[in-house]
Amino acid sequence: MADILQNVMDHAVAVARKAGEVVREALSDDRKVMTKSSAVDLVTQTDQKVEDLIIQSVKEKFPQHRFIGEESVAAGEPSILTDDPTWIIDPIDGTTNFVHAFPFIAISIGFTINKRVEVGVVYSCLEDKMFTARRGRGAFCNGEPLQVSDQTDVHRSIIATEFGSNRDPEVVDKIFSSLRNILSLPVHGVRGAGTAAVNLSLVASGCVEAYYEMGMHVWDIAAGSLLVLEAGGVVMDVDGGDADLMSRRILAANNRSVALQLVEHIAPYRPDRDDAP
Ligand code: IPD
């Protein structure tokens, strides 16, 4: 098992770096933008090209492994997490950022066995930061160990969140209700990088104390959630219950105390699960 996981890590890092090159080059081309679940849920040919590149290279090296990839699921592939070794891929996390050249874009690759993330790689390709984690072996950025912030008071914290791409009025109301509650605590600040994977790597790096969102997908958070755990943080549901990768809800924090102070102020809602029939 140990060697397989090291091989997986090495391959994920190599292919994420290659994917990052493709993304950086594509930034100087015209970007043809299409939409998916809503008028603001964007996708480009580069998302599809990068996902193909990653999946093809993994298939050659690990022919028995399964995949859950953002663009494959959009094209009709199932999004079911099994106990089998599975690569969970977001070829461009931060597609809206990519379309607008807003400078945070990540390639996110998680690897699960028995539905548990064992390897996580997030490549923030414009910053050239390679975040890596293996269960039980710590989290790193460009080889340097990561440690979450030691702040225990939510009032002295920066909280990351996102608005997502669902514009249903009830969902927007919930998002603003959470935001209003949290801003008024008060907290030092609220931020959002426009990519869930980068938000999680910011928690793992100790730059922000927590990140929460409802509506993102398993491919946005699989890799980054392991970064947070391995940097000493916690990952749970927004109601304080156990984390569930397929639930499309996440609260990741530097510690339980900050997380539970936030739980009191988040207005929860339940998007359709990623594995909904
Ligand atoms: C999106 C980003 C964004 C988050 C959305 C995600 P994508 O991923 O992570 O920060 O708010 O919920 O869907 O579509 O750019 O891969």
Side-chain angles (χ1 to χ4, degrees):
M1 168 90 92
D3 284 342
I4 295 173
L5 292 179
Q6 193 53 50
N7 291 344
V8 164
M9 168 69 89
D10 293 345
H11 195 74
V13 166
V15 77
R17 223 179 264 293
K18 217 177 275 174
E21 271 169 39
V22 175
V23 171
R24 284 192 297 263
E25 276 166 27
L27 267 179
S28 53
D29 297 342
D30 277 350
R31 277 149 276 159
K32 184 165 175 275
V33 183
M34 297 156 282
T35 58
K36 295 196 286 188
S37 64
S38 77
V40 294
D41 184 8
L42 309 183
V43 63
T44 69
Q45 282 165 339
T46 309
D47 294 69
Q48 291 154 346
K49 180 173 164 186
V50 171
E51 182 158 319
D52 286 350
L53 178 153
I54 297 172
I55 291 184
Q56 282 319 316
S57 90
V58 174
K59 269 188 179 161
E60 276 167 30
K61 180 114 182 161
F62 304 97
Q64 313 296 338
H65 291 180
R66 301 170 77 114
F67 300 91
I68 297 177
E70 174 170 20
E71 305 317 329
S72 314
V73 171
E77 291 287 324
S79 169
I80 306 290
L81 187 59
T82 69
D83 287 342
D84 294 337
T86 302
W87 294 66
I88 303 181
I89 299 160
D90 191 343
I92 299 186
D93 189 38
T95 301
T96 306
N97 288 357
F98 172 71
V99 167
H100 293 268
F102 189 82
F104 296 99
I105 301 169
I107 289 95
S108 175
I109 303 178
F111 178 76
T112 61
I113 297 181
N114 295 327
K115 303 190 182 77
R116 207 169 72 149
V117 186
E118 296 292 340
V119 172
V121 169
V122 171
Y123 182 41
S124 182
C125 63
L126 302 186
E127 302 179 284
D128 193 21
K129 288 185 177 172
M130 182 68 76
F131 294 91
T132 55
R134 242 183 90 174
R135 185 168 291 276
R137 306 260 180 122
F140 300 84
C141 175
N142 292 345
E144 294 297 320
L146 297 177
Q147 178 66 49
V148 292
S149 150
D150 61 7
Q151 184 56 254
T152 53
D153 184 354
V154 75
H155 302 99
R156 294 166 186 253
S157 298
I158 289 187
I159 309 305
T161 190
E162 295 288 338
F163 302 117
S165 54
N166 187 333
R167 297 292 185 268
D168 289 350
E170 313 85 74
V171 167
V172 173
D173 281 349
K174 295 269 188 179
I175 289 171
F176 276 94
S177 166
S178 304
L179 207 50
R180 184 194 170 91
N181 294 344
I182 289 168
L183 277 172
S184 324
L185 276 168
V187 293
H188 275 185
V190 173
R191 301 283 185 273
T195 122
V198 168
N199 288 325
L200 288 163
S201 61
L202 290 169
V203 177
S205 305
C207 310
V208 309
E209 274 66 29
Y211 157 67
Y212 72 91
E213 186 173 352
M214 286 154 279
M216 77 300 138
H217 296 274
V218 61
W219 42 81
D220 301 311
I221 57 157
S225 60
L226 186 63
L227 291 176
V228 172
L229 291 173
E230 287 300 318
V234 296
V235 178
M236 58 179 74
D237 186 77
V238 289
D239 68 4
D242 289 344
D244 175 349
L245 272 181
M246 305 303 276
S247 69
R248 302 183 63 201
R249 303 175 9 140
I250 189 169
L251 169 57
N254 60 330
N255 56 49
R256 219 176 145 70
S257 162
V258 166
L260 294 180
Q261 291 169 75
L262 286 170
V263 163
E264 301 295 309
H265 300 280
I266 294 173
Y269 62 93
R270 280 200 186 279
D272 290 342
R273 295 176 58 82
D274 273 325
D275 53 6

